[in-house]
Amino acid sequence: MPLREHDPELYAALERERQRQSEGVELIPSENYVSGSVLEAMGSILTNKYSEGYPGRRYYGGNENVDDIERLAQERAKQLFGVPHANVQPYSGSPANFAVYFAICQPGDPIMGQNLPDGGHLTHGWNVSVSGTYYRSVPYHVKPDGYIDFDEVWRLAREHRPRLIWCGATAYVREFPFEDFSKVADEVGAYFAADIAHIAGLVIGGVHKSPTLYAHIITTTTHKTLRGPRGAMVMVTERGLQKDPDLAQKIDRAVFPGLQGGPHDHTTAAIAVALSEAMRPEFKAYAAQVVRNAKALAEALMAQGFRLVTGGTDNHMLLVDLTPTGPGRGIFMQEALDRVGLTVNKNTIPGEPSSPFYPSGIRLGTPAATTRGMREPEMERIAEWMATVRDRIASFELPKDRDERNRVLSEFRAAIEKDQRLIQMREEVREWAKGFLVPGIN
Ligand code: DSN
């Protein structure tokens, strides 16, 4: 029975989301639209199977087809990233990173990663995460100009002799200095893990330096610029095997049985499909356009008077510093842009003067819009809309006092609901966005 008839309530919500995804512009840099083929693999009967173990070494019968599928995904990952070992089973990025800790660290070991409010990831040692509580986290920071403070990285590494150093972030707009990190790791005897979740598709596309020659371990999600299903991989490089010949087995044991049970075979299949898509020449062209669009959007936003962290971007992402109009304004901008169908996320900026929940910036990126075929002229249009939205909400300031803040936020939400220019803009965005096909939907 079709889902529409089988579960109309759920179907209606799904339809609303389908509409939201096609009638707005997705600018969250960690999101993308997968192909119809990836969706087909993801929604397949493989979800019915249990497959604890690895190809040829399972704890359940009936895995001959799943073995073939998982081997395909592994081989494609190895070929694309030029690594000798790939584990494609982690459920998502955070479990992939925890597998790295479980494979090579003991509780209490010093570890280094980019500080969360400076753009780093929760799992790289932030204090509310297991990574910052079971291990002794020594975070490094970005300088006021937004670039990684490499003098600090050297100083902290020499002082604390970390077991593991992470390079990778969720809000960093410049090329990662993988080679420099490998020098630091070598000098202090640390493992060097590159978390390329955000930029994996750019690495494959040749528009961001690859960490393969420098890192011992590479982790990545598969659903961001890589344009696959929600999932992740942990890869071990030749360098990693030179440092520790057992590293691949340690990673595999950490993923299963260390942290996980049965792999999600439907996700493994969809990862294999996405990796095959990433091997095609069109994917290189896509990755290059993602970066061109990000640079065009950066230029257009700056021309509209926005201030960007580091003054631009090298990758798919932009970080807008809204402090010239007051601290903590990320929430106003995110919600007002949502109102007109432009989806971004509020984000901290270097030296954040407010708080992570009420940060002073917004983060945006071009992977999803580029998948829909948007190009440089469309980036200019988006920047114009963003500038108008900024000007419409310029009178709202975020109070420090909680009750006062709630009052202002209520007033703000009521104001953007009835602002005639924003209502009109919602229709403009809707009509315009519908002209760009969404894979898997149109
Ligand atoms: N949630 C991801 C992102 O948006 O960058 C990081 O885990």
Side-chain angles (χ1 to χ4, degrees):
M1 186 189 287
L3 183 61
R4 183 178 28 219
E5 290 160 33
H6 185 72
D7 189 342
E9 198 179 359
L10 186 284
Y11 184 81
L14 187 57
E15 273 307 293
R16 289 195 298 277
E17 176 60 10
R18 214 191 300 272
Q19 197 173 354
R20 190 194 69 81
Q21 291 195 14
S22 55
E23 295 185 357
V25 184
E26 184 53 73
L27 293 166
I28 293 176
S30 47
E31 298 185 14
N32 212 331
Y33 300 103
V34 298
S35 69
S37 302
V38 169
L39 274 184
E40 190 180 334
M42 198 59 196
S44 70
I45 47 145
L46 289 163
T47 195
N48 299 338
K49 190 73 195 98
Y50 256 125
S51 318
E52 273 97 330
Y54 289 101
R57 299 176 282 132
R58 305 281 186 186
Y59 287 80
Y60 289 72
N63 270 303
E64 59 274 23
N65 305 312
V66 168
D67 278 1
D68 288 346
I69 288 164
E70 189 166 339
R71 284 196 184 103
L72 261 184
Q74 290 170 337
E75 289 309 315
R76 288 173 182 174
K78 282 156 61 176
Q79 191 183 329
L80 273 168
F81 289 95
V83 294
H85 185 75
N87 186 310
V88 297
Q89 292 193 4
Y91 296 147
S92 205
S94 297
N97 289 351
F98 285 121
V100 174
Y101 288 102
F102 198 50
I104 60 175
C105 296
Q106 293 297 319
D109 277 351
I111 62 105
M112 279 177 62
Q114 190 166 327
N115 196 39
L116 182 88
D118 291 54
H121 192 253
L122 271 173
T123 58
H124 297 179
W126 184 237
N127 57 18
V128 297
S129 150
V130 163
S131 66
T133 47
Y134 284 24
Y135 306 96
R136 185 161 67 76
S137 176
V138 180
Y140 57 86
H141 302 83
V142 295
K143 295 177 289 183
D145 66 6
Y147 285 79
I148 292 171
D149 184 346
F150 229 81
D151 291 339
E152 186 197 36
V153 172
W154 271 112
R155 185 172 56 70
L156 293 173
R158 284 176 174 145
E159 186 183 336
H160 295 277
R161 319 279 309 173
R163 173 81 173 156
L164 168 66
I165 300 177
W166 288 101
C167 169
T170 58
Y172 192 68
V173 297
R174 293 297 175 183
E175 190 160 68
F176 289 109
F178 296 132
E179 195 168 355
D180 296 336
F181 272 104
S182 90
K183 287 182 189 148
V184 177
D186 282 352
E187 186 183 300
V188 302
Y191 282 94
F192 169 30
D195 176 346
I196 59 167
H198 263 270
I199 55 161
L202 307 186
V203 167
I204 289 173
V207 288
H208 190 294
K209 185 182 286 175
S210 167
T212 297
L213 290 177
Y214 308 109
H216 301 115
I217 299 166
I218 301 171
T219 66
T220 184
T221 51
T222 47
H223 47 272
K224 298 186 174 92
T225 49
L226 193 45
R227 222 162 48 176
R230 299 196 72 104
M233 309 191 289
V234 183
M235 294 172 277
V236 177
T237 63
E238 291 290 356
R239 255 186 135 252
L241 292 182
Q242 278 159 21
K243 181 172 173 65
D244 179 354
D246 296 329
L247 191 54
Q249 288 91 316
K250 286 179 183 170
I251 292 288
D252 282 354
R253 278 201 301 269
V255 174
F256 171 83
L259 290 165
Q260 298 187 171
H264 296 173
D265 299 320
H266 55 305
T267 302
T268 306
I271 289 174
V273 174
L275 293 172
S276 84
E277 290 173 355
M279 286 171 168
R280 299 181 190 156
E282 306 90 272
F283 192 83
K284 269 197 163 41
Y286 163 70
Q289 189 63 47
V290 165
V291 176
R292 277 200 295 275
N293 281 354
K295 286 181 188 293
L297 185 55
E299 287 304 321
L301 285 172
M302 288 189 291
Q304 294 286 354
F306 284 98
R307 183 197 283 177
L308 297 191
V309 172
T310 79
T313 181
D314 290 335
N315 55 30
H316 61 299
M317 187 193 296
L318 297 84
L319 203 47
V320 181
D321 173 359
L322 299 166
T323 51
T325 51
R329 293 184 55 83
I331 190 163
F332 293 132
M333 200 63 186
Q334 176 188 300
E335 293 192 14
L337 288 171
D338 241 345
R339 173 76 186 87
V340 302
L342 302 174
T343 313
V344 306
N345 71 279
K346 60 185 180 179
N347 213 94
T348 53
I349 54 162
E352 176 58 58
S354 184
S355 70
F357 198 76
Y358 294 106
S360 303
I362 53 167
R363 185 184 70 146
L364 55 158
T366 53
T370 307
T371 294
R372 291 180 76 170
M374 293 180 189
R375 299 288 178 262
E376 289 89 335
E378 284 77 39
M379 299 302 114
E380 282 179 31
R381 184 97 196 259
I382 290 168
E384 283 163 21
W385 276 321
M386 286 181 61
T388 306
V389 169
R390 172 198 59 200
D391 298 344
R392 302 295 301 177
I393 61 172
S395 60
F396 289 94
E397 283 175 21
L398 192 76
K400 283 209 167 66
D401 174 75
R402 194 179 176 168
D403 291 339
E404 189 58 7
R405 194 167 59 216
N406 287 341
R407 187 187 61 73
V408 169
L409 281 171
S410 296
E411 277 176 21
F412 165 75
R413 285 171 185 143
I416 59 172
E417 273 311 303
K418 57 178 196 283
D419 182 309
Q420 286 306 314
R421 176 66 190 105
L422 297 188
I423 292 170
Q424 180 199 356
M425 193 185 292
R426 178 68 195 104
E427 290 315 307
E428 287 167 20
V429 172
R430 194 193 311 278
E431 285 314 306
W432 182 79
K434 283 196 309 204
F436 298 89
L437 300 186
V438 179
I441 292 185
N442 301 116

